[in-house]
Amino acid sequence: LIACDSSTSMITSLTPSVSYAEVGILMGIILRQKCERVTLCLFDSTLKLPQVPKGPVLESVNRIVKRYVTGGSTEGYLVAKYAQESGYNYNKVFVFTDMQLWDSTSRSMYSWQQHDSRFEPLWQAYRKDHPEATLSIINLAGYSTTFSDLRQKGVYLVAGWSDKLFDMLDSI
C-alpha cells in the first residue's frame, strides 16, 4: 500500500515550482511501478484511490495532481483504516507525508498536536492480523513529529527531503 498525503500543507512549495505533494506522488508512482500488486492512495480529508495506468511517470503525476489534489485536513488514520478494512494483506505500507496530521474527530482546538491519535490503534489492529507488515514513513518536510511509535518492530522513518530517497526506492 502506497499512501501519498495530498493535504493543504503538502501543497506548499518544496521549490518555487514543485510542491511536497508532487514529490510524494512522484515517489509513490515510481515505487508503484516496481511492485507487482499494489494500491496507490491519496489522503487528505478523505481517502482517494486514483486509477493510474502504468506508463509515463510524470504524465501520471500531473494527471493525479490536477484531478485529485484538492487540499484539506490530513486524516492520516484513513490509510490505516483502509488497510484494515480492505481485506488485502499489505506486507509493506509506505506513507509519503509532511507529518502534519490532523484528527478532526477531536473537539480540541489543539487536535493537530495529537498527531492523528487514531492512526496508531488502527495500525496496531492491522499488525495484529498481519504481523509481517511493515510501515515506512517518508517525512518529506523533515518536521520532528511522527504518528507511529518508532520503537516498534517494523516501523521505519525517513525524515527530510533528499535525492537519496530515490536510492532508497531503487533498493526496494
Side-chain angles (χ1 to χ4, degrees), residues 90-101:
Y90 294 110
N91 60 345
K92 292 182 171 127
V93 176
F94 294 89
V95 181
F96 294 93
T97 183
D98 64 359
M99 305 292 274
Q100 299 301 296
L101 302 189

Side-chain angles (χ1 to χ4, degrees), residues 10-85:
M10 289 289 286
I11 297 173
T12 60
S13 293
L14 179 63
T15 69
S17 60
V18 178
S19 70
Y20 288 109
E22 290 168 317
V23 171
I25 293 167
L26 170 67
M27 293 173 56
I29 290 175
I30 290 171
L31 184 58
R32 178 182 175 266
Q33 296 218 1
K34 296 180 59 112
C35 303
E36 288 182 32
R37 291 173 292 183
V38 67
T39 301
L40 177 72
C41 67
L42 278 68
F43 65 97
D44 47 40
S45 301
T46 62
L47 187 92
K48 301 164 185 147
L49 299 166
Q51 298 299 314
V52 184
K54 291 194 177 190
V57 173
L58 294 178
E59 186 178 305
S60 295
V61 171
N62 287 333
R63 188 177 319 121
I64 289 173
V65 168
K66 287 178 183 173
R67 185 167 182 190
Y68 296 100
V69 177
T70 57
S73 61
T74 317
E75 305 289 343
Y77 79 90
L78 293 171
V79 175
K81 182 179 178 187
Y82 175 78
Q84 181 69 16
E85 294 176 352

Side-chain angles (χ1 to χ4, degrees), residues 73-124:
S73 61
T74 317
E75 305 289 343
Y77 79 90
L78 293 171
V79 175
K81 182 179 178 187
Y82 175 78
Q84 181 69 16
E85 294 176 352
S86 70
Y88 293 113
N89 181 10
Y90 294 110
N91 60 345
K92 292 182 171 127
V93 176
F94 294 89
V95 181
F96 294 93
T97 183
D98 64 359
M99 305 292 274
Q100 299 301 296
L101 302 189
W102 186 265
D103 182 357
S104 66
T105 62
S106 172
R107 297 199 184 275
S108 167
M109 65 183 277
Y110 301 106
S111 61
W112 60 273
Q113 293 178 335
Q114 296 174 10
H115 307 298
D116 195 359
S117 60
R118 296 180 65 191
F119 184 92
E120 186 66 21
L122 289 164
W123 174 249
Q124 290 304 321

